[in-house]
Structures are given as structure tokens and as C-alpha cells.
Amino acid sequence: MGIVAGLDSSPDFTRIVVCDADTGSVLRQGYAPHPVETPEGGGRSADVDPQAWLLSLGEAAGGGLLEGVQAIGVSAQQNALVPIDAQGATVRPAMVGGDRRAQVAAADLIDALGGREVWAQSVGCVPQAPLPVTKLRWFAKSEPEAAQRTALLLQAHDWLVWQLLGRPMRRTTDRGGASGTGYWSAATGTYRPDLVELALGRQAALPEVIGPAEAAGTTPEGLLISAGTGETMAAAFGLGLGLGDAVVSLGASGSVMAVHREALVDPTGMITSLADATGMHLPVVTTLNAVRALRGTAELLGMPDLEGLSDLAMKSTPGSHGLVMLPYLEGERTPNLPHTAGMLAGLRRESMKPEHVARAAFEGMLCGLADALDVLRGRGVEVRRVFLLGPAAELPAVQAVAPAVFGAQVVVPQPADYAAIGAARQAAWALGVSQGTLDPRTPPAWQGAVAQVLEPGEDLAVGQAVRQQYVSVREQVHPGAFAG
């Protein structure tokens, strides 16, 4: 069928993969960091000129990287809000990331609509600082003159697709990106303009939501540009996830998502109802504490790194001699205990050894994520395989504990640019549909991720005992935390 490209514009860099459209084999790659200025006081700015994304894209595509490419897919960081004026210029720099300025705006929006449950029922999520709808509220309150000039609202991948196509009158997005805005419902497949008005104080144009296999357009040179999507959806597509698959991401905080046939409306707000890049749904549950619990334990025990902590934990045995760590070091979102603290229970003379504390940290982190998995299972989501992502997934202690505690096969994919690969796969799908060689309901069957597969096997009963020990402590300290 030819050659396609996928580009992933993450918060820090642009990565491009050029793939065989039939098999998904990566033929060549490009990379460039974003030219982002560090604000005073260090850290990453919450405001970025979108032109930085284009400069990085141009650099990554240098040296004839895209020669012979017939279609391009765009994946980009989620939650970036790009306000555009009537002439097509950016009104202000894009608001990206978690943006703490918007925390008060989130609480304002929740109250203005009538509470968390109303938001969850309306658009499948509850406002938090990162969401575009929340940033919009902050923008309207803090920069009213600029907000008044805003005629169009785009996200990062919408803006990049629009630029690649030469800024046509038609502006598009996809279900995946739209579902993370806070003003589009994955359940109904429609925008909620009233929520835009609630946040911005007035209406603004929104990009057309096109289907997973549709093309956003073709460049004057004849290069087809597919719908594009958010990084999470592109990575899921690049990994080849299907029904029965879940992903557990081990960052400082954790997230659990799974492929499901329908949108899940969760009145408690624990589940965020996202759409995927194929026409299915990606319910997501997040925890505030994952690898940060391991790092805290490593510091407590004087270990220089997580590899050392893992080696130490492997000297203990399942159940950590009765020690249970509730890893709620930053409070917790799942269960909803924002003001709580972590704890170490079951201290006895024989359990007060560094290796048992180390093992309790790994078991506590993974049991906390198993709680998040159970939120999805409790709503009818099937989980046969769990893909474990993040550098910590390579740690022997994680791999020893996870399959039995999760009660499922665990797949640890080899590190790769899955978001860029997913964007390329989307490009191949749109190209095939345009040529009449692929069905718009069935994406191209690319080779799956190279991965290590871990089975719970005979350890399943032991893992379930570890889990029960954890649940007993959690219920004793926080009774009914998951009720309702």
C-alpha cells in the first residue's frame, strides 16, 4: 500500500516514525526537542507558543525523512488549549499541562453546573486543572480581553493538522481528542456548547469531529493527513489494544485504562470516559500515587535507586511478613481521599526489616492500582491482559508481584514510540480507506508490540492473599472508601 508517517508532538519533543503501511515495520525515524523557554524559577511553562511545535516538527522531518510518504497521522499532547481569533492567529500562547493556575477554576465549574455527578453525567468527566474546559474558565476570568477575541478553540493535534493542511476553512478533530476537552461527551458523541459558554462566558467555534478512518484533508502536494488524536489514544492504537486489554501506566502517579464497547458514566467521577482512536471507548481511572511511593520508600531506606529497592524487596516473601503499605502519600483520588496520608500497618518485631518494608512498597503500589482496575471490572469491563508501561515496569519486584495481584496476564512491551506508531497506523487506515483497500470499520492489522509476557500461574492464590491482606487494612482504616 505504500509508506506512511506518524508524528508525536509530546510536551518536550517531536518524534516521527516512517512505517510500511501494510505491516507497520518502522523504516526510519526522526527526533527533535521543542525549543521551549524555561520560565523564571525553573520548571516547564504552562504557556507555550504553538510555533515551537512546528519548528520542532520541521527539524524532526529534516534530511528527507518524509520522502515517499503518502499519508501522515498526528498525535499530540492532550489538554493543550489553543485559542484562535477570527483571523486565524493565536490569541495567546497555548495553555498546556496540569496548569495549577486553573485549580480554583475547576472548583468554580463544578459548583456552577451543580456538582461532580452532573459533570460526570454530562460529559463523562469532572473538571480538573488540566482539562481545556477548566483552562477556558481561568482564561475568561484572568484575561477577559483576550477571551473576548477568541473565535475558535483547538487542541494541539487539531492545530498541527490545520497547519499541515495550510489552515483551511474546515477545522477538524477526532473522538479521542474531543473526549478529553470537558465539553464533548463520548457517550452521546456530541459537543456541549453550553459548557463552553459556562467556562468562556460566550460561544466559540469548535472543530468538526470526524471518524477514526476519515482524512482531515490533503495537502496541495497530495499528502493525505488523517484525523489525528491525543497521545493516550495514539499509544493505545500503536500497542494494538483490543477488547479484554487494559493498560497500567506507572508514573509518579498511576493510571489504568481499558478498551470497552461503550462509554461508562460514573456518578462518583472516579472513571473518566474517553473515546479511543478506533470507534471504541477508553475508560480511565487514575491514582495519585504509584512510583512516588517507591521513591519515598527508597529514600526512607537509604537506597540510591529503584533498582536497589527492587533487589532488596526480592529478599522478602509475598505478604511482606504481614506489613501492608497504603501508598496514599499525596492523598488519593482512587479511592477519593484527598486529605489522607499513607500508612504502614502490621509492624511486628520480625517484620521490621528493610527488605519487608521494600516489598510492602511494591505490593502497596500494585494493590492500589489493582483497586483502580477493580473499579473498571465492577462496571463490566473485561480484563484478560494488562499492559504494564513505564520504566518501573522493568523492575524485577514489579514483575514478580503484578501478575498475581492483578489476577491477569501481564504484558511488558519493549520501549518504543507507541504514540507515533499509533499515529502512523491511523494514517495507513485513512490511506487504505481513501484507496478503497481498507474497511472504515476495521483498522490495518499491524504486527503487535514486542513484549515480555508474564503469567500469574501458580502464584495466583498467593497474590490474591496479598491483595486480601491489603484490602482488609484499607477497609479498616477507610471503611466504605469505594462504596457507591
Side-chain angles (χ1 to χ4, degrees):
M1 199 163 66
I3 299 173
V4 295
L7 72 88
D8 175 36
S9 180
S10 83
D12 298 312
F13 57 80
T14 297
R15 205 178 286 278
I16 301 176
V17 296
V18 176
C19 300
D20 180 286
D22 292 314
T23 66
S25 295
V26 177
L27 306 175
R28 47 189 189 264
Q29 304 181 56
Y31 169 87
H34 287 175
V36 177
E37 293 180 17
T38 302
E40 288 182 31
R44 185 188 293 136
S45 174
D47 293 330
V48 174
D49 182 349
Q51 293 297 327
W53 306 334
L54 275 186
L55 289 169
S56 176
L57 192 165
E59 191 181 333
L65 184 78
L66 299 179
E67 197 172 318
V69 166
Q70 295 165 272
I72 293 181
V74 177
S75 154
Q77 59 181 302
Q78 283 151 245
N79 300 323
L81 179 68
V82 189
I84 306 291
D85 68 17
Q87 285 70 48
T90 50
V91 172
R92 69 176 319 282
M95 298 177 69
V96 300
D99 207 332
R100 293 185 174 180
R101 296 174 299 186
Q103 284 174 334
V104 173
D108 283 351
L109 281 176
I110 291 169
D111 290 344
L113 196 64
R116 297 170 61 86
E117 186 170 341
V118 183
W119 274 98
Q121 298 281 1
S122 299
V123 284
C125 61
V126 177
Q128 302 158 47
L131 283 188
V133 72
T134 310
K135 290 170 175 162
L136 208 52
R137 177 77 160 198
W138 176 87
F139 175 42
K141 297 281 186 188
S142 305
E143 301 174 6
E145 289 181 16
Q148 277 297 319
R149 297 203 316 276
T150 299
L152 168 69
L153 301 174
L154 298 177
Q155 293 187 86
H157 83 81
D158 310 339
W159 188 84
L160 283 165
V161 164
W162 187 49
Q163 298 295 319
L164 288 173
L165 289 171
R167 297 156 53 103
M169 283 302 296
R170 185 192 191 208
R171 282 81 54 129
T172 62
T173 190
D174 86 308
R175 299 168 65 253
S179 67
T181 58
Y183 43 79
W184 186 87
S185 165
T188 63
T190 55
Y191 279 118
R192 286 287 303 268
D194 59 313
L195 298 184
V196 172
E197 189 163 349
L198 181 69
L200 185 61
R202 54 193 290 275
Q203 286 297 336
L206 301 167
E208 177 190 347
V209 180
I210 61 176
E214 281 186 69
T218 306
T219 68
E221 298 76 32
L223 188 64
L224 184 140
I225 310 292
S226 63
T229 195
E231 271 187 317
T232 298
M233 299 78 190
F237 199 37
L239 282 165
L241 299 188
L243 288 169
D245 291 335
V247 173
V248 172
S249 294
L250 299 175
S253 53
S255 72
V256 176
M257 68 178 181
V259 180
H260 198 51
R261 289 190 188 281
E262 57 195 34
L264 294 180
V265 174
D266 176 36
T268 68
M270 272 196 287
I271 299 173
T272 297
S273 189
L274 299 178
D276 81 346
T278 73
M280 303 282 267
H281 293 269
L282 281 178
V284 180
V285 179
T286 57
T287 68
L288 295 181
N289 301 278
V291 176
R292 64 166 39 102
L294 301 184
R295 295 206 182 282
T297 306
E299 289 169 14
L300 176 71
L301 297 176
M303 303 301 299
D305 52 38
L306 296 186
E307 288 73 19
L309 186 72
S310 172
D311 292 344
L312 185 62
M314 293 299 282
K315 294 175 182 173
S316 182
T317 53
S320 310
H321 270 249
L323 277 187
V324 172
M325 180 181 288
L326 296 184
Y328 306 153
L329 306 188
E330 299 277 330
E332 190 45 83
R333 186 175 165 198
T334 306
N336 186 26
L337 299 166
H339 307 300
T340 194
M343 74 173 298
L344 196 58
L347 285 170
R348 299 180 186 277
R349 180 67 190 85
E350 61 272 19
S351 66
M352 294 177 72
K353 293 182 178 176
E355 61 265 33
H356 303 323
V357 176
R359 176 117 189 170
F362 283 94
E363 290 179 345
M365 174 187 78
L366 291 165
C367 283
L369 290 161
D371 276 351
L373 263 177
D374 280 355
V375 170
L376 296 178
R377 283 177 167 135
R379 292 294 305 276
V381 176
E382 184 183 12
V383 178
R384 289 195 305 268
R385 292 192 300 177
V386 175
F387 285 72
L388 207 51
L389 303 185
E394 304 285 341
L395 296 172
V398 168
Q399 296 189 5
V401 175
V405 163
F406 292 158
Q409 183 188 79
V410 167
V411 179
V412 184
Q414 193 173 298
D417 305 313
Y418 291 110
I421 291 168
R425 189 179 176 204
Q426 187 194 63
W429 194 5
L431 180 64
V433 169
S434 75
Q435 295 174 340
T437 57
L438 285 177
D439 187 319
R441 293 162 299 183
T442 310
W446 280 13
Q447 54 206 21
V450 177
Q452 187 178 359
V453 178
L454 310 166
E455 300 283 357
E458 295 175 359
D459 294 332
L460 185 58
V462 175
Q464 297 315 293
V466 168
R467 184 79 200 289
Q468 189 51 52
Q469 178 179 269
Y470 174 91
V471 170
S472 295
V473 171
R474 190 217 330 115
E475 274 299 305
Q476 190 176 350
V477 179
H478 303 291
F482 280 101

